[in-house]
Amino acid sequence: MVELASMIRELRRELNAAMEEAEGERLRFELGPVEIEATVTVDTEKSRQGKVRFWVVEAGGDGKSTRSDLQKITFTLRPRLVGSSGTPLISGGELPGER
């Protein structure tokens, strides 16, 4: 299992890498909303801080299931570049004034 925050961090890293790799390419894609659906298990830590952690369950697994502990969540991320109101480009057609 991996923490939900780690999964989102890795997604961000992958999207940044895709944007860097697209530099100088003639074809670019506009990055739209990113929809994520994950099966998670909730882990509550009994302490003064009362932490709750969401762990993403690995696809495939070993065939075992603890249905009562699993939850399916769906959420949409809307990527934005820092200091920009525009939508990030990871690839796509050349825009007027880009060169």
Side-chain angles (χ1 to χ4, degrees):
M1 292 190 297
V2 69
E3 283 187 318
L4 182 60
S6 295
M7 183 187 79
I8 294 172
R9 188 178 310 114
E10 183 62 22
L11 173 62
R12 182 184 302 113
R13 191 189 72 69
E14 290 289 332
L15 291 174
N16 275 316
M19 288 173 57
E20 289 175 16
E21 290 173 14
E23 284 295 320
E25 294 289 333
R26 290 184 53 214
L27 178 66
R28 297 189 197 148
F29 301 104
E30 184 174 291
L31 182 59
V34 178
E35 294 182 18
I36 298 174
E37 181 175 292
T39 301
V40 298
T41 182
V42 180
D43 183 19
T44 55
E45 184 178 300
K46 304 247 188 261
S47 68
R48 280 191 245 161
Q49 295 152 343
K51 290 184 180 179
V52 175
R53 289 190 172 170
F54 293 88
W55 298 92
V56 178
V57 177
E58 185 177 340
D62 59 8
K64 295 180 184 176
S65 177
T66 53
R67 291 177 51 109
S68 61
D69 296 332
L70 300 178
Q71 300 290 324
K72 186 175 286 190
I73 61 170
T74 304
F75 54 96
T76 302
L77 302 174
R78 298 194 189 326
R80 293 281 181 220
L81 292 175
V82 174
S84 171
S85 61
T87 303
L89 295 177
I90 57 172
S91 281
E94 183 176 310
L95 298 176
E98 267 194 327
R99 292 195 172 194

PDB file of all heavy atoms in Angstrom, residues 21-23 39 44 46-47 49 52 59 63 65 67 73 75 85 87-88 91-92:
ATOM      1  N   GLU A  21       9.615  17.247 -20.925  1.00  0.00           N
ATOM      2  CA  GLU A  21       9.916  16.482 -22.130  1.00  0.00           C
ATOM      3  C   GLU A  21       9.267  17.093 -23.367  1.00  0.00           C
ATOM      4  O   GLU A  21       9.738  16.888 -24.479  1.00  0.00           O
ATOM      5  CB  GLU A  21       9.460  15.031 -21.969  1.00  0.00           C
ATOM      6  CG  GLU A  21      10.290  14.247 -20.971  1.00  0.00           C
ATOM      7  CD  GLU A  21       9.728  12.872 -20.686  1.00  0.00           C
ATOM      8  OE1 GLU A  21       8.853  12.397 -21.444  1.00  0.00           O
ATOM      9  OE2 GLU A  21      10.167  12.272 -19.690  1.00  0.00           O
ATOM     10  N   ALA A  22       8.193  17.854 -23.196  1.00  0.00           N
ATOM     11  CA  ALA A  22       7.479  18.449 -24.322  1.00  0.00           C
ATOM     12  C   ALA A  22       8.147  19.741 -24.810  1.00  0.00           C
ATOM     13  O   ALA A  22       7.795  20.232 -25.874  1.00  0.00           O
ATOM     14  CB  ALA A  22       6.031  18.741 -23.939  1.00  0.00           C
ATOM     15  N   GLU A  23       9.109  20.284 -24.040  1.00  0.00           N
ATOM     16  CA  GLU A  23       9.790  21.509 -24.458  1.00  0.00           C
ATOM     17  C   GLU A  23      10.371  21.332 -25.859  1.00  0.00           C
ATOM     18  O   GLU A  23      11.047  20.345 -26.143  1.00  0.00           O
ATOM     19  CB  GLU A  23      10.915  21.862 -23.482  1.00  0.00           C
ATOM     20  CG  GLU A  23      10.433  22.450 -22.184  1.00  0.00           C
ATOM     21  CD  GLU A  23       9.740  23.791 -22.338  1.00  0.00           C
ATOM     22  OE1 GLU A  23      10.202  24.637 -23.146  1.00  0.00           O
ATOM     23  OE2 GLU A  23       8.726  23.992 -21.651  1.00  0.00           O
ATOM     24  N   THR A  39      -8.956   2.923  -4.611  1.00  0.00           N
ATOM     25  CA  THR A  39      -9.491   2.140  -3.507  1.00  0.00           C
ATOM     26  C   THR A  39      -8.541   2.361  -2.342  1.00  0.00           C
ATOM     27  O   THR A  39      -7.333   2.164  -2.475  1.00  0.00           O
ATOM     28  CB  THR A  39      -9.573   0.654  -3.871  1.00  0.00           C
ATOM     29  OG1 THR A  39     -10.423   0.527  -5.020  1.00  0.00           O
ATOM     30  CG2 THR A  39     -10.147  -0.162  -2.725  1.00  0.00           C
ATOM     31  N   THR A  44      -6.577   4.873  11.300  1.00  0.00           N
ATOM     32  CA  THR A  44      -6.641   5.892  12.345  1.00  0.00           C
ATOM     33  C   THR A  44      -5.629   5.556  13.428  1.00  0.00           C
ATOM     34  O   THR A  44      -5.528   4.413  13.868  1.00  0.00           O
ATOM     35  CB  THR A  44      -8.047   5.986  12.967  1.00  0.00           C
ATOM     36  OG1 THR A  44      -8.431   4.709  13.431  1.00  0.00           O
ATOM     37  CG2 THR A  44      -9.058   6.482  11.963  1.00  0.00           C
ATOM     38  N   LYS A  46      -4.420   6.111  17.128  1.00  0.00           N
ATOM     39  CA  LYS A  46      -4.939   6.527  18.432  1.00  0.00           C
ATOM     40  C   LYS A  46      -3.832   7.248  19.203  1.00  0.00           C
ATOM     41  O   LYS A  46      -2.928   6.622  19.748  1.00  0.00           O
ATOM     42  CB  LYS A  46      -5.417   5.305  19.208  1.00  0.00           C
ATOM     43  CG  LYS A  46      -6.448   4.482  18.472  1.00  0.00           C
ATOM     44  CD  LYS A  46      -7.774   4.556  19.152  1.00  0.00           C
ATOM     45  CE  LYS A  46      -8.745   3.585  18.533  1.00  0.00           C
ATOM     46  NZ  LYS A  46      -9.633   4.086  17.609  1.00  0.00           N
ATOM     47  N   SER A  47      -3.897   8.551  19.206  1.00  0.00           N
ATOM     48  CA  SER A  47      -2.949   9.375  19.950  1.00  0.00           C
ATOM     49  C   SER A  47      -3.612  10.716  20.220  1.00  0.00           C
ATOM     50  O   SER A  47      -4.761  10.941  19.850  1.00  0.00           O
ATOM     51  CB  SER A  47      -1.658   9.572  19.158  1.00  0.00           C
ATOM     52  OG  SER A  47      -1.898  10.374  18.020  1.00  0.00           O
ATOM     53  N   GLN A  49      -3.009  13.448  18.787  1.00  0.00           N
ATOM     54  CA  GLN A  49      -3.250  14.144  17.525  1.00  0.00           C
ATOM     55  C   GLN A  49      -4.347  13.487  16.707  1.00  0.00           C
ATOM     56  O   GLN A  49      -4.926  14.112  15.834  1.00  0.00           O
ATOM     57  CB  GLN A  49      -1.947  14.186  16.717  1.00  0.00           C
ATOM     58  CG  GLN A  49      -0.884  15.011  17.403  1.00  0.00           C
ATOM     59  CD  GLN A  49       0.513  14.545  17.033  1.00  0.00           C
ATOM     60  OE1 GLN A  49       0.691  13.443  16.521  1.00  0.00           O
ATOM     61  NE2 GLN A  49       1.496  15.377  17.295  1.00  0.00           N
ATOM     62  N   VAL A  52      -5.437  10.548  10.866  1.00  0.00           N
ATOM     63  CA  VAL A  52      -6.123   9.645   9.948  1.00  0.00           C
ATOM     64  C   VAL A  52      -5.298   9.628   8.671  1.00  0.00           C
ATOM     65  O   VAL A  52      -4.925  10.675   8.152  1.00  0.00           O
ATOM     66  CB  VAL A  52      -7.562  10.131   9.641  1.00  0.00           C
ATOM     67  CG1 VAL A  52      -8.205   9.246   8.590  1.00  0.00           C
ATOM     68  CG2 VAL A  52      -8.395  10.175  10.900  1.00  0.00           C
ATOM     69  N   ALA A  59      -3.468  -2.365  -6.942  1.00  0.00           N
ATOM     70  CA  ALA A  59      -4.333  -3.108  -7.871  1.00  0.00           C
ATOM     71  C   ALA A  59      -3.817  -4.525  -8.021  1.00  0.00           C
ATOM     72  O   ALA A  59      -2.621  -4.767  -7.998  1.00  0.00           O
ATOM     73  CB  ALA A  59      -4.360  -2.411  -9.231  1.00  0.00           C
ATOM     74  N   GLY A  63      -5.431 -11.447  -3.917  1.00  0.00           N
ATOM     75  CA  GLY A  63      -6.692 -12.169  -3.949  1.00  0.00           C
ATOM     76  C   GLY A  63      -7.480 -12.092  -2.663  1.00  0.00           C
ATOM     77  O   GLY A  63      -8.610 -12.520  -2.602  1.00  0.00           O
ATOM     78  N   SER A  65      -9.434 -10.070   0.394  1.00  0.00           N
ATOM     79  CA  SER A  65     -10.246  -8.859   0.460  1.00  0.00           C
ATOM     80  C   SER A  65     -10.779  -8.670   1.870  1.00  0.00           C
ATOM     81  O   SER A  65     -11.248  -9.611   2.501  1.00  0.00           O
ATOM     82  CB  SER A  65     -11.420  -8.963  -0.526  1.00  0.00           C
ATOM     83  OG  SER A  65     -12.239  -7.834  -0.410  1.00  0.00           O
ATOM     84  N   ARG A  67     -13.336  -6.268   2.704  1.00  0.00           N
ATOM     85  CA  ARG A  67     -14.288  -5.287   2.179  1.00  0.00           C
ATOM     86  C   ARG A  67     -14.708  -4.246   3.198  1.00  0.00           C
ATOM     87  O   ARG A  67     -14.915  -3.107   2.853  1.00  0.00           O
ATOM     88  CB  ARG A  67     -15.522  -5.997   1.635  1.00  0.00           C
ATOM     89  CG  ARG A  67     -15.250  -6.797   0.396  1.00  0.00           C
ATOM     90  CD  ARG A  67     -16.488  -7.535  -0.038  1.00  0.00           C
ATOM     91  NE  ARG A  67     -17.624  -6.634  -0.125  1.00  0.00           N
ATOM     92  CZ  ARG A  67     -18.192  -6.235  -1.251  1.00  0.00           C
ATOM     93  NH1 ARG A  67     -17.707  -6.666  -2.388  1.00  0.00           N
ATOM     94  NH2 ARG A  67     -19.226  -5.439  -1.237  1.00  0.00           N
ATOM     95  N   ILE A  73     -12.722   6.094  -3.442  1.00  0.00           N
ATOM     96  CA  ILE A  73     -12.868   7.545  -3.517  1.00  0.00           C
ATOM     97  C   ILE A  73     -12.554   8.003  -4.937  1.00  0.00           C
ATOM     98  O   ILE A  73     -11.740   7.398  -5.623  1.00  0.00           O
ATOM     99  CB  ILE A  73     -11.970   8.292  -2.508  1.00  0.00           C
ATOM    100  CG1 ILE A  73     -10.493   7.998  -2.764  1.00  0.00           C
ATOM    101  CG2 ILE A  73     -12.342   7.963  -1.083  1.00  0.00           C
ATOM    102  CD1 ILE A  73      -9.552   8.879  -1.975  1.00  0.00           C
ATOM    103  N   PHE A  75     -11.827  11.727  -7.034  1.00  0.00           N
ATOM    104  CA  PHE A  75     -11.678  13.174  -6.929  1.00  0.00           C
ATOM    105  C   PHE A  75     -11.043  13.710  -8.200  1.00  0.00           C
ATOM    106  O   PHE A  75     -10.451  12.965  -8.968  1.00  0.00           O
ATOM    107  CB  PHE A  75     -10.884  13.585  -5.682  1.00  0.00           C
ATOM    108  CG  PHE A  75      -9.545  12.937  -5.531  1.00  0.00           C
ATOM    109  CD1 PHE A  75      -8.396  13.576  -5.959  1.00  0.00           C
ATOM    110  CD2 PHE A  75      -9.433  11.698  -4.941  1.00  0.00           C
ATOM    111  CE1 PHE A  75      -7.164  12.977  -5.816  1.00  0.00           C
ATOM    112  CE2 PHE A  75      -8.207  11.092  -4.779  1.00  0.00           C
ATOM    113  CZ  PHE A  75      -7.056  11.736  -5.222  1.00  0.00           C
ATOM    114  N   SER A  85      -2.431  32.019 -14.663  1.00  0.00           N
ATOM    115  CA  SER A  85      -3.862  31.717 -14.632  1.00  0.00           C
ATOM    116  C   SER A  85      -4.239  30.768 -15.760  1.00  0.00           C
ATOM    117  O   SER A  85      -5.365  30.323 -15.844  1.00  0.00           O
ATOM    118  CB  SER A  85      -4.674  33.014 -14.741  1.00  0.00           C
ATOM    119  OG  SER A  85      -4.380  33.662 -15.963  1.00  0.00           O
ATOM    120  N   THR A  87      -3.854  27.300 -18.334  1.00  0.00           N
ATOM    121  CA  THR A  87      -3.783  25.857 -18.176  1.00  0.00           C
ATOM    122  C   THR A  87      -2.412  25.379 -18.642  1.00  0.00           C
ATOM    123  O   THR A  87      -1.951  25.785 -19.701  1.00  0.00           O
ATOM    124  CB  THR A  87      -4.884  25.184 -19.017  1.00  0.00           C
ATOM    125  OG1 THR A  87      -6.149  25.711 -18.610  1.00  0.00           O
ATOM    126  CG2 THR A  87      -4.900  23.687 -18.817  1.00  0.00           C
ATOM    127  N   PRO A  88      -1.735  24.512 -17.880  1.00  0.00           N
ATOM    128  CA  PRO A  88      -0.418  24.021 -18.287  1.00  0.00           C
ATOM    129  C   PRO A  88      -0.494  23.244 -19.601  1.00  0.00           C
ATOM    130  O   PRO A  88      -1.478  22.570 -19.879  1.00  0.00           O
ATOM    131  CB  PRO A  88      -0.013  23.079 -17.147  1.00  0.00           C
ATOM    132  CG  PRO A  88      -0.906  23.398 -16.013  1.00  0.00           C
ATOM    133  CD  PRO A  88      -2.154  23.964 -16.583  1.00  0.00           C
ATOM    134  N   SER A  91       1.793  19.107 -24.032  1.00  0.00           N
ATOM    135  CA  SER A  91       2.015  18.945 -25.475  1.00  0.00           C
ATOM    136  C   SER A  91       0.831  19.596 -26.154  1.00  0.00           C
ATOM    137  O   SER A  91      -0.199  19.800 -25.545  1.00  0.00           O
ATOM    138  CB  SER A  91       2.098  17.480 -25.874  1.00  0.00           C
ATOM    139  OG  SER A  91       3.354  16.950 -25.565  1.00  0.00           O
ATOM    140  N   GLY A  92       0.936  19.938 -27.396  1.00  0.00           N
ATOM    141  CA  GLY A  92      -0.178  20.527 -28.130  1.00  0.00           C
ATOM    142  C   GLY A  92       0.326  21.382 -29.266  1.00  0.00           C
ATOM    143  O   GLY A  92       1.526  21.587 -29.410  1.00  0.00           O
TER     144      GLY A  92
END
